[in-house]
Amino acid sequence: MVEIKTDIALEAMRPAGRVVADILTAVRAAAAPGVRLSELDEVARSVLAEAGATSPFLHYRPSFAPTPFPATICTSVNDAIVHGIPSAYRLRDGDLLSIDCGATLDGWAGDAAVTVAVGTPRPEDQRLMDTTRRALEAGIAAAVVGARIGDISHAIGSVGRAAGYGIPADFGGHGIGRQMHEDPSVPNDGRPGRGFVLRHGLVLAIEPMFLSGGHGDYREADDGWTLLTTDGSRAAHFEHTVAITDDGPRILTQP
């Protein structure tokens, strides 16, 4: 069931989005060679606590998961696409780190992600990040009243395919509001003019994921959560929570 939010609800979602933005800012600043992924999760927990917010990631257990998620952020390194669990791994110069986080405040959720280079970026990683970010911008630009979900999907997929990147077929964006994951789903590739019609008050988490190896194949890690590229190629992931309004798309997960 797709929930259309009132204008009051859209305003109420904004504080949760700001907390998400603050988490990403703090975690990005802390991500440096030698830092453990678990330490980044501690940074996120501190931001949540200071804001009086909670994490929709912590203890989340969808049907596919063997265990509840044990952290407040996902930290996916190099060939990890999404859902990486913060561990004792110490970041190294040249690592590619995707940070995905959420926050729940006063009953409303926000969700966003960013990929960063740790230390000195590789040129090919910079291109991957720039392209994935540009795909997010294209998807947001397509999120206008009267368009359809397929228009967002097509905008994202067109950027990725033109760059020669792979797109995992089973994972993409989603509706968001009182819950982190709501209807409708937002694939990262598709045909324009198809799917749910976008209306004022619909809120979506739009999140392209591109794989540098050129195909969308992935495998599940032994932890039951982390998704890895099958060929060891690197991945990037960017996301914003976006409200569709009569005045155009409104990004709720900005500072």
Side-chain angles (χ1 to χ4, degrees):
M1 180 177 178
V2 176
E3 179 188 3
I4 303 300
K5 279 71 176 178
T6 65
D7 288 345
I8 293 174
L10 296 183
E11 289 301 319
M13 290 186 70
R14 183 70 176 104
R18 288 195 185 97
V19 175
V20 173
D22 289 344
I23 293 170
L24 289 177
T25 297
V27 173
R28 288 181 68 173
V35 175
R36 295 183 186 274
L37 297 179
S38 56
E39 293 175 309
L40 298 182
D41 186 61
E42 292 171 5
V43 171
R45 289 173 188 258
S46 295
V47 176
L48 285 164
E50 185 175 347
T54 58
S55 170
F57 286 24
L58 186 62
H59 306 315
Y60 179 60
R61 188 178 184 181
S63 59
F64 67 81
T67 58
F69 194 76
T72 61
I73 58 174
C74 297
T75 52
S76 304
V77 180
N78 297 333
D79 62 338
I81 307 166
V82 287
H83 303 162
I85 297 175
S87 66
Y89 175 82
R90 291 187 183 275
L91 291 168
R92 302 171 183 173
D93 186 71
D95 276 346
L96 194 63
L97 170 66
S98 294
I99 309 155
D100 189 1
C101 71
T104 302
L105 185 64
D106 296 328
W108 296 101
D111 187 11
V114 66
T115 300
V116 298
V118 178
T120 306
R122 301 179 181 184
E124 60 270 26
D125 289 344
Q126 190 64 58
R127 177 176 179 267
L128 175 63
M129 289 187 289
D130 290 344
T131 303
T132 311
R133 186 187 299 108
R134 185 157 48 87
L136 173 58
E137 293 168 354
I140 292 171
V144 296
V145 171
R148 293 179 179 266
I149 292 291
D151 297 320
I152 299 174
S153 303
H154 179 71
I156 292 170
S158 295
V159 173
R161 286 184 278 103
Y165 294 137
I167 304 172
D170 302 321
F171 291 87
H174 49 87
I176 184 170
R178 291 287 185 181
Q179 304 296 323
M180 179 172 62
H181 289 132
E182 298 181 352
D183 291 331
S185 62
V186 187
N188 283 326
D189 199 9
R191 297 176 62 181
R194 300 293 184 91
F196 189 83
V197 177
L198 307 183
R199 296 167 50 190
H200 177 91
L202 177 65
V203 183
L204 303 173
I206 300 174
E207 50 179 323
M209 309 164 196
F210 291 164
L211 317 185
S212 61
H215 58 78
D217 297 340
Y218 62 87
R219 64 181 179 86
E220 187 179 277
D222 293 340
D223 61 23
W225 275 98
T226 310
L227 300 184
L228 303 166
T229 62
T230 56
D231 59 2
S233 63
R234 294 186 169 199
H237 175 208
F238 284 82
E239 176 184 18
H240 269 308
T241 295
V242 181
I244 287 83
T245 79
D246 291 330
D247 296 324
R250 184 189 307 166
I251 300 174
L252 302 181
T253 43
Q254 287 182 328

